[in-house]
């Protein structure tokens, strides 16, 4: 009796538990199938978030452009100062070269020619004096015996002096010709060439300064234009955001 009663009491409970278990499994399966059929949300943000990110990037680009423009302006100022110093130095070099050429033409060349001519005249005067002295000596000892040692010595010394004076005249005449026709013209040509080189260096410095300044200015203009376009874009986005 007890066994029969126990079986009759427990059987409904076991059936109820089994039904509950099967019901839970069915609900779980249904939920799992529903979850599988439900699409997952996209990981990327919507249009509003994308627009916000784009504005942030544009603002960052604008800040970078502002810094580049500031640096470019400082570089341009330094470039202008450096080029002005180079041009000023080139002008000084040209002025010095022109001064040396002018000094040579006004003072150096005529002075050296004058001194050379003066030396030649002095040598000719001394040669004439030596010749006159030799003539007097020869006249003095004309009626005396040439075997006299003193007379022979004096006459020979006078002749040597006259010969050396004549040789000196010849050398100084050659030196004067070379000075006038070759040495001084060559020096003047060199000084004139230095002037032309200095003038060319000045023109090159000025030309280089102009090119570098314009190139740097063009770089700054491009940066400013890019910044203006970016700021206009940001302003337009801001107006559209307020209207929406």
């Amino acid at each position: 009796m007890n066994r029969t009663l126990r079986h009759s009491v427990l059987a409904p409970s076991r059936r109820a538990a089994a039904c509950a278990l099967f019901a839970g499994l069915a609900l779980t399966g249904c939920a799992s199938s529903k979850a599988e059929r439900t699409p997952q949300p996209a990981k990327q943000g919507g249009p509003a978030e994308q627009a916000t990110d784009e504005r942030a990037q544009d603002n960052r680009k604008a800040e970078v452009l502002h810094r580049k423009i500031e640096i470019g302006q400082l570089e341009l100022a330094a470039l202008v100062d450096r080029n002005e110093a180079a041009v000023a130095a080139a002008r000084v070099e040209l002025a010095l070269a022109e001064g040396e050429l002018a000094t040579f033409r006004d003072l150096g060349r005529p002075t050296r020619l004058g001194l050379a001519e003066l030396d030649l005249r002095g040598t000719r005067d001394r040669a004439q004096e030596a010749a006159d002295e030799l003539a007097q000596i020869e006249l003095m000892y004309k009626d005396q015996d040439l075997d006299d040692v003193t007379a022979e010595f004096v006459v020979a010394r006078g002749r040597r002096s006259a010969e050396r004076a004549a040789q000196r005249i010849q050398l100084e005449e050659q030196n004067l010709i070379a000075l006038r026709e070759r040495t001084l013209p060559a020096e003047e040509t060199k000084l004139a060439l230095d002037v032309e080189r200095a003038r060319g260096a000045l023109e090159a410095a000025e030309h280089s300064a102009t090119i570098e300044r314009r190139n740097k200015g063009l770089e700054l203009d491009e940066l400013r234009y890019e910044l203006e376009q970016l700021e206009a874009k940001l302003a337009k986005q801001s107006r559209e955001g307020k209207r929406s």
Side-chain angles (χ1 to χ4, degrees):
M1 176 180 178
N2 292 335
R3 185 175 181 181
T4 304
L5 180 61
R6 189 166 52 249
H7 179 72
S8 61
V9 172
L10 293 176
S13 300
R14 289 177 180 175
R15 285 196 297 271
C19 290
L21 177 60
F22 286 130
L25 292 174
L27 290 174
T28 302
C30 292
S32 177
S33 300
K34 184 178 181 180
E36 291 177 356
R37 290 193 300 271
T38 303
Q40 297 295 325
K43 293 183 179 180
Q44 296 180 351
E49 294 180 358
Q50 293 179 358
T52 301
D53 292 341
E54 184 178 355
R55 282 195 297 271
Q57 293 178 359
D58 290 340
N59 285 323
R60 176 59 180 169
K61 290 179 181 178
E63 292 177 0
V64 172
L65 287 174
H66 276 294
R67 294 176 183 175
K68 287 184 176 181
I69 291 173
E70 292 176 357
I71 294 173
Q73 290 173 341
L74 294 174
E75 291 176 346
L76 178 59
L79 178 65
V80 170
D81 292 340
R82 184 169 63 252
N83 287 335
E84 287 180 351
V87 171
R91 286 175 179 165
V92 171
E93 292 293 335
L94 176 58
L96 291 174
E98 290 175 340
E100 290 182 1
L101 179 59
T103 300
F104 176 83
R105 288 173 175 174
D106 297 339
L107 183 62
R109 179 175 58 188
T111 298
R112 291 168 64 182
L113 280 175
L115 290 174
E117 291 172 353
L118 184 61
D119 289 341
L120 179 58
R121 286 196 297 269
T123 301
R124 285 173 176 171
D125 291 340
R126 289 190 295 272
Q128 186 62 45
E129 293 172 358
D132 294 341
E133 183 180 355
L134 177 60
Q136 292 177 0
I137 292 174
E138 290 177 342
L139 181 62
M140 184 186 302
Y141 291 98
K142 180 179 179 181
D143 297 334
Q144 297 184 9
D145 188 2
L146 295 179
D147 292 336
D148 183 81
V149 177
T150 302
E152 184 179 357
F153 175 77
V154 172
V155 173
R157 185 177 63 180
R159 288 174 179 172
R160 286 195 301 270
S161 296
E163 291 173 356
R164 284 195 295 269
Q167 292 174 354
R168 184 175 295 277
I169 289 174
Q170 184 179 2
L171 292 174
E172 291 187 1
E173 285 177 344
Q174 293 175 354
N175 180 68
L176 180 59
I177 293 173
L179 186 66
R180 183 186 294 114
E181 296 180 359
R182 291 192 295 273
T183 304
L184 293 177
E187 292 181 8
E188 183 177 5
T189 300
K190 182 179 181 301
L191 292 173
L193 182 60
D194 291 340
V195 170
E196 292 302 318
R197 287 174 177 170
R199 183 175 291 111
L202 174 59
E203 293 175 355
E206 292 175 341
H207 186 62
S208 177
T210 300
I211 292 176
E212 291 181 0
R213 184 175 64 253
R214 289 181 179 177
N215 284 336
K216 197 62 182 180
L218 181 60
E219 292 178 5
L220 284 172
D221 290 341
E222 291 176 351
L223 291 174
R224 293 190 185 101
Y225 177 77
E226 185 177 356
L227 179 60
E228 290 175 359
Q229 296 297 314
L230 189 58
E231 288 179 341
K233 178 182 176 182
L234 290 171
K236 180 179 178 181
Q237 291 175 349
S238 178
R239 290 193 300 269
E240 292 176 352
K242 290 180 179 178
R243 285 199 299 267
S244 61

